[in-house]
Amino acid sequence: MQQNLTLPIYRLSHGDGSNDGFIKLYAACDDGHIYQLKKSETWIKTDIGGVSSAMYGVAVEDGNNDGEMEVYGACSDGQIYQFKYNGTLWVKTTVGSGSGTMHSVAVADANLDGQREVYGACADGKIYRFHWVVSNWESEEIGSVGSIVYDLLVNDAENIEQDAIYAACSDGHVYQYKWSNNQWNKEDLGSAPAPLLRITAGDGDNDNQFEIYAVAGNNHVYQFKAGYLQPTPTATRTPIPDFDGRIISKKYIYAAPNPIRGHIANIVIFTNTPAEVSGKLFTTSNQEVLSFRRNYGVGKHTERINMSNLANGVYLLLIKAKNNDGVEERVIKKIALIK
């Protein structure tokens, strides 16, 4: 594939932003517009809208909880914009603003209220939350880091089945904002010797743990991992939770993320003892659609399952674990698939 937009592209995202059942690419560009790239016999480029200031960030998600996907753009004019396809044309709406350039945008349920919100990273050193209520967007300043916020993401990088907000900042630090006890709690996760420009999360070192990775202005990539505060080559593993003597625990079996947005589901399973673990996925009408069986040691394990042939909807995941003494336990969890 080669698609030339003939202008600088600052960020790329993917998803079904027009709700037609097909995944597309969305590019945030220097001319202030977002372009949709859809593969047919050839790649088709569509200008979905924009403004006269550079568009630095883009996200594809259902940010207003209406059951449909939208495209969100973070703009150098300090605004977050929503682009929504109504079946005929794209409609642009202002979500909210900060007092400086908006560098990045993310959509997630970071405050655990069951509703997705839109989060913006701003040059004024603040992270903003925008929440759709009935007929308008309400805004909240969730915290200030005292330096430019170049990028943010929402992820369960602590491996505790709870998303948090992570900010990459011009002072070289990664800051975490986590919702707990009805408030946002800030933690400094450590620093690099240069401004941090981009941030992502994943199991980059294949140890079955998620970590934070940040790109710095000195052309280095730094890892930040739960269990220590400075980005170093070695790290501690996340402690195994207390299972009260059980083999597995419902709290520590989950899909990451949930809902699953794509063809691959990452099923995270903690085991307190060595065990034979089997998993079966059922529809809500009790039809089995896939299964797996593994022998696990003690610790955290990630099972990647292919859901490309499954329809969108809610599924029931049955996990059984049998230890060396023949004791068997089972857990049922709900997971949702939205491609």
Side-chain angles (χ1 to χ4, degrees), residues 2 7 29 34 36 42 52 62 82 100 112 118 125 134 139 143 146 167-168 187 227 231 254 280 298 330 338:
Q2 179 174 331
L7 72 168
C29 295
I34 294 177
Q36 174 187 274
T42 61
S52 59
D62 178 14
Q82 179 200 79
L112 311 176
V118 179
V134 184
S139 64
E187 182 177 357
Y254 55 90
K280 293 184 177 181
V298 177
R330 62 177 60 196
I338 305 176

Side-chain angles (χ1 to χ4, degrees), residues 1 8 14 29 37 47 50 53-54 91 93 96 128 135 137 150 153 167 176 195 209 220 232 255 284 289 299 307 310:
M1 170 200 173
H14 71 281
C29 295
L37 303 173
D47 183 351
S53 301
V91 178
T93 304
Y128 293 90
S135 61
W137 290 97
Y150 281 124
L153 72 103
Q176 179 200 73
Q209 301 285 326
H220 285 69
T232 59
T284 52
V289 292
M307 303 184 71
L310 302 183

Side-chain angles (χ1 to χ4, degrees), residues 60-308:
V60 184
E61 185 53 272
D62 178 14
N64 60 0
N65 301 282
D66 66 350
E68 296 182 343
M69 303 289 274
E70 303 90 28
V71 180
Y72 294 87
C75 190
S76 61
D77 65 3
Q79 307 286 334
I80 298 289
Y81 295 100
Q82 179 200 79
F83 300 87
K84 189 174 183 68
Y85 190 65
N86 64 10
T88 303
L89 51 85
W90 288 89
V91 178
K92 175 172 68 72
T93 304
T94 300
V95 173
S97 65
S99 56
T101 295
M102 282 289 185
H103 285 286
S104 182
V105 60
V107 181
D109 178 20
N111 65 347
L112 311 176
D113 65 351
Q115 300 289 311
R116 285 177 291 276
E117 302 89 24
V118 179
Y119 296 88
C122 192
D124 62 8
K126 299 174 182 177
I127 299 173
Y128 293 90
R129 169 182 173 266
F130 304 98
H131 183 211
W132 181 258
V133 180
V134 184
S135 61
N136 63 282
W137 290 97
E138 294 185 355
S139 64
E140 173 195 9
E141 177 189 320
I142 71 169
S144 177
V145 301
S147 62
I148 298 172
V149 185
Y150 281 124
D151 200 9
L152 63 78
L153 72 103
V154 184
N155 193 277
D156 178 22
E158 288 185 301
N159 304 281
I160 60 172
E161 201 176 357
Q162 178 181 335
D163 285 342
I165 300 169
Y166 297 89
C169 300
S170 63
D171 63 359
H173 286 249
V174 171
Y175 297 96
Q176 179 200 73
Y177 285 89
K178 184 163 62 177
W179 185 257
S180 179
N181 298 320
N182 294 316
Q183 64 181 8
W184 293 103
N185 297 282
K186 175 185 174 184
E187 182 177 357
D188 184 349
L189 300 188
S191 64
L196 296 180
L197 307 177
R198 293 289 182 265
I199 190 169
T200 189
D203 183 12
D205 56 7
N206 296 288
D207 67 347
N208 292 322
Q209 301 285 326
F210 271 33
E211 306 90 26
I212 295 291
Y213 294 89
V215 177
N218 62 358
N219 297 322
H220 285 69
V221 177
Y222 293 90
Q223 181 197 74
F224 298 79
K225 189 176 182 70
Y228 71 102
L229 295 181
Q230 294 297 327
T232 59
T234 59
T236 58
R237 291 177 178 268
T238 301
I240 301 303
D242 183 4
F243 286 179
D244 295 325
R246 294 175 55 84
I247 306 170
I248 53 177
S249 168
K250 186 172 185 177
K251 180 178 179 181
Y252 296 106
I253 296 176
Y254 55 90
N258 192 11
I260 298 159
R261 298 189 177 277
H263 298 299
I264 301 298
N266 293 307
I267 307 300
V268 179
I269 304 170
F270 280 89
T271 52
N272 194 36
T273 64
E276 179 186 87
V277 175
S278 63
K280 293 184 177 181
L281 194 67
F282 297 88
T283 65
T284 52
S285 59
N286 206 34
Q287 177 187 359
E288 182 181 331
V289 292
L290 58 83
S291 64
F292 63 87
R293 185 181 297 274
R294 300 284 185 268
N295 288 310
Y296 287 150
V298 177
K300 180 185 175 184
H301 319 278
T302 301
E303 186 71 30
R304 289 170 57 85
I305 58 177
N306 189 342
M307 303 184 71
S308 59

